[in-house]
Structures are given as C-alpha cells and as structure tokens.
Amino acid sequence: MYQATKPAALLATFALIGGLLLGCGSNADKNSNAVSSNAAATEAPAPTATAQAEETSRVFTDWTNHNVEVPVNPQRIIFHGETTGDLLALGVKPIGIIKSQTSGTVLEQQLADVEDVGFPLSVEKSLTLQPDLIIFGNADEQQYETISKVAPTVTFNTFASISERMRTLGDLLNKKQEAEDWLAAHAANTAAMWKNLNENGIAEGETASVFTMYPGNRLFIMAGAGLPQFLYEEGGFKPTKIIQDIIDQEIGFVEISAELLPEYAADRIFILNPVDPAAVQSSNDLMKSEIWLKLPAVQKGQVYNIDILKASSDATSREWLVDELPKILLNK
C-alpha cells in the first residue's frame, strides 16, 4: 500500500477525513423468458437462474484481496479515485466521479455531464445512480464496508504503474484487448517523443526532479506519483538516487525543507504550479531565494512549469503530456 497519494488529489483534499453514511443494498433486476411447450420438446432446457447468473457475473479479486461478484459487462460504473482518465482511455465513461478532482484537468470537458458522488463518497447520492459496479481507489476497509452496501465494490490501486492499472481495468471491465491496444500505442508514442527530444538536445540519461508547494510554505518533492511516473518511463529522464530511494519505498511524495533543495535538484527541474493562492506566493518566493538561484538547473535555464491539475498520471492525461512535454522542453 502506498503511503502518499497523488498530488492533484491529495494536495487539494489534504485535510478531508470523514466517515460515510450507511447505505442499503440495491436490488438486481430479474428477467425470465417464456418457453413454449413445443420448443421445450425440441430444444435444450432453458438455463436455470443460477446458470444465467453465472453468465452475467463472475468473481473478481481486487487490490486488497476481496473476492467480489461483479458484472461481466458493467454498464453503470462509479469511479471513486484519482485516475478517472484510465477509464476514458478504454472508452468507458463512468456515471459518477469525484468531480472536484477533474476541475481544471484535461478530463474536465469529457466529464462535464457526469454526476458528482463527492469526497468522501456520498452513499445517498450513489444509491440514486443505481450503479452496477463501484471502483474504489482506496484501501480503507471501513469505508469499503460502507460503500459495498450500495453495489459490488472493488478496491483499485491508483498508484500502480500505468500498465498494471490498464490491465487490471481491462480485465475488470471486459476491455482486455482495448487495454493492450492502448498500452501498445502509448509505448510507441512515448518512444517517438523521447527520440524526438533526444535529437533536439535532451541527452539520454539526464535526470529530472519535480517539486511543488502546498499552503503553509510546504515544499514537496514528487516521486512515485503524478508527473514523475511519466517522466521516468523507459527512455525518459532518470530520477536521482535520493528520489529513486523514495520511489523504491512506494511513496508518492515527501515534504522537504528548502535547505535540502541541492540534494534533490536534478539536471532538469519541473515545477508543478499550485492552485491555492498562498501556495502560488510561496512558490514565487522560493524561486527568488538565494538557494534556488544557485541550483545548476536554474542557472542553465532548465526549469519548467506545468499546472499541477494537468500533470496527472492517468492514461488520458498521459496522452496530453506526450504532445505537451516537447513543447515545454523545446519552447515550441
């Protein structure tokens, strides 16, 4: 289990902790087919209710090892997590999401008409949507027990690698081929992007580090979550050793003091522009400080800014980054 969550979600909801209202289970529709006596005499017997259930549902083992009976082809999905763009890349549009986590992102327009189930998830709202599957991007067992009363619920690791996430969703949503097709296309597109960057002055093996500010003048180094997942893909930038150590511990990000900047700064530095005005001011102040101005990457002009809400690790945001990163690095 990861010890920190993706910044676009956690840094926006750092202090939100709450219980969920108890809900009651939803009833599944039952269908029956009439069979004429003549047909019954010449055809195989109609499947039993149990056989029909076996054809439309199956058992799925989720991230935290629940064995859940889920629909074979879920149609009404609530996705309660940070990587909603993974579903969109598979051609699946959920009926309910955490709307606050899509505002200002590259996903916003595509999800404009999707219902908000809130954070924490509103059981009452979810019941009105009548989902046949809930994907819960959290390992909190107490919340899971409450949410699973609404509909079949599976936990999902939004911090896993893009390949693991897409294959898990491909299996869960009966989109295995779509997942493999997307991963193959993404690998080809990112390889072409890095080749283009290498041919235009970005040396192979260069290191990169990603920083952002949080209200209260709090500085974070990003590691296993968000933009670094994209930057550190095969063929891309390398993390410095100290950042790699954080990634190896499966930690999304770590708060550091400004005095430690020289230890974490890499050949190229990416700044995730915060949303909160106080954090914006802290970020501006940091970049005027003596310790910042002495960093080699700063002196070489190898510092790049990206809006934190757009620099997500979900599949749809990655498609945007494949197009956007060359523009940022090459000033085009």
Side-chain angles (χ1 to χ4, degrees), residues 2 4-13 63 79-88 97-103 105-107 111 119 135-139 156-160 165 169 225-226 229 253 308-309 311-317:
Y2 288 83
T5 61
K6 193 172 71 171
L10 183 62
L11 297 182
T13 57
W63 172 35
F79 185 85
H80 200 262
E82 304 94 341
T83 56
T84 311
D86 292 349
L87 274 70
L88 295 179
I97 59 172
I98 308 172
K99 206 82 178 237
S100 62
Q101 292 183 355
T102 63
S103 179
T105 71
V106 300
L107 316 174
L111 298 169
F119 181 88
I135 302 173
F136 181 49
N138 199 310
F156 179 66
N157 184 5
T158 57
F159 287 124
R165 295 202 317 268
L169 290 172
Q229 286 190 348
F253 55 83
I308 191 170
L309 295 178
S312 178
S313 61
D314 69 87
T316 303
S317 296

Side-chain angles (χ1 to χ4, degrees), residues 106-119:
V106 300
L107 316 174
E108 186 173 16
Q109 242 182 342
Q110 297 181 64
L111 298 169
D113 59 346
V114 177
E115 295 288 337
D116 182 16
V117 294
F119 181 88

Side-chain angles (χ1 to χ4, degrees), residues 29-325:
D29 294 331
K30 296 181 180 178
N31 298 316
S32 60
N33 295 317
V35 181
S36 69
S37 57
N38 289 337
T42 57
E43 297 177 6
T48 64
T50 300
Q52 289 180 352
E54 290 174 350
E55 292 171 359
T56 58
S57 65
R58 66 188 179 98
V59 175
F60 181 86
T61 303
D62 69 9
W63 172 35
T64 51
N65 294 317
H66 301 105
N67 293 315
V68 186
E69 187 171 344
V70 300
V72 171
N73 291 295
Q75 300 297 310
R76 299 184 59 78
I77 302 162
I78 289 176
F79 185 85
H80 200 262
E82 304 94 341
T83 56
T84 311
D86 292 349
L87 274 70
L88 295 179
L90 293 176
V92 176
K93 190 172 185 178
I95 60 169
I97 59 172
I98 308 172
K99 206 82 178 237
S100 62
Q101 292 183 355
T102 63
S103 179
T105 71
V106 300
L107 316 174
E108 186 173 16
Q109 242 182 342
Q110 297 181 64
L111 298 169
D113 59 346
V114 177
E115 295 288 337
D116 182 16
V117 294
F119 181 88
L121 181 142
S122 167
V123 171
E124 291 178 335
K125 177 65 176 181
S126 299
L127 283 167
T128 67
L129 296 178
Q130 299 182 321
D132 57 11
L133 178 66
I134 298 175
I135 302 173
F136 181 49
N138 199 310
D140 187 299
E141 191 64 24
Q142 186 174 358
Q143 290 187 53
Y144 174 85
E145 288 299 323
T146 302
I147 294 169
S148 62
K149 291 178 173 66
V150 176
T153 301
V154 298
T155 57
F156 179 66
N157 184 5
T158 57
F159 287 124
S161 67
I162 187 69
S163 58
E164 181 180 338
R165 295 202 317 268
M166 295 300 278
R167 289 190 172 109
T168 297
L169 290 172
D171 180 15
L172 177 61
L173 304 178
N174 199 18
K175 298 279 187 179
K176 286 185 177 180
Q177 189 57 56
E178 289 87 339
E180 294 301 328
D181 291 346
W182 187 90
L183 287 168
H186 178 66
N189 291 338
T190 52
M193 179 198 71
W194 288 117
K195 182 175 183 293
N196 173 50
L197 289 172
N198 293 154
E199 292 173 349
N200 285 275
I202 308 298
E204 293 185 28
E206 284 193 53
T207 59
S209 50
V210 183
F211 299 95
T212 195
M213 295 294 294
Y214 183 74
N217 199 33
R218 302 174 67 186
L219 174 64
F220 289 86
I221 175 70
M222 314 310 299
L227 181 62
Q229 286 190 348
F230 177 74
L231 295 179
Y232 301 151
E233 281 190 334
E234 183 178 355
F237 292 117
K238 307 297 182 186
T240 63
K241 184 181 183 305
I242 195 168
I243 297 173
Q244 184 63 58
D245 289 343
I246 300 171
I247 294 171
D248 291 343
Q249 295 176 60
E250 298 185 335
I251 296 175
F253 55 83
V254 172
E255 184 175 3
I256 64 171
S257 66
E259 288 72 24
L260 294 177
L261 270 170
E263 296 181 29
Y264 288 89
D267 297 326
R268 296 181 186 267
I269 294 175
F270 291 82
I271 298 295
L272 298 178
N273 300 327
V275 176
D276 184 273
V280 172
Q281 184 60 53
S282 295
S283 186
N284 291 337
D285 291 343
L286 175 68
M287 287 184 280
K288 295 174 184 176
S289 67
E290 184 178 355
I291 195 166
W292 176 265
L293 294 173
K294 287 183 177 179
L295 296 175
V298 175
Q299 295 180 345
K300 293 178 182 178
Q302 295 180 168
V303 177
Y304 314 95
N305 292 72
I306 303 179
D307 290 346
I308 191 170
L309 295 178
K310 290 184 169 66
S312 178
S313 61
D314 69 87
T316 303
S317 296
R318 279 169 174 259
E319 292 172 347
W320 178 83
L321 282 167
V322 168
D323 291 331
E324 194 68 16
L325 188 62

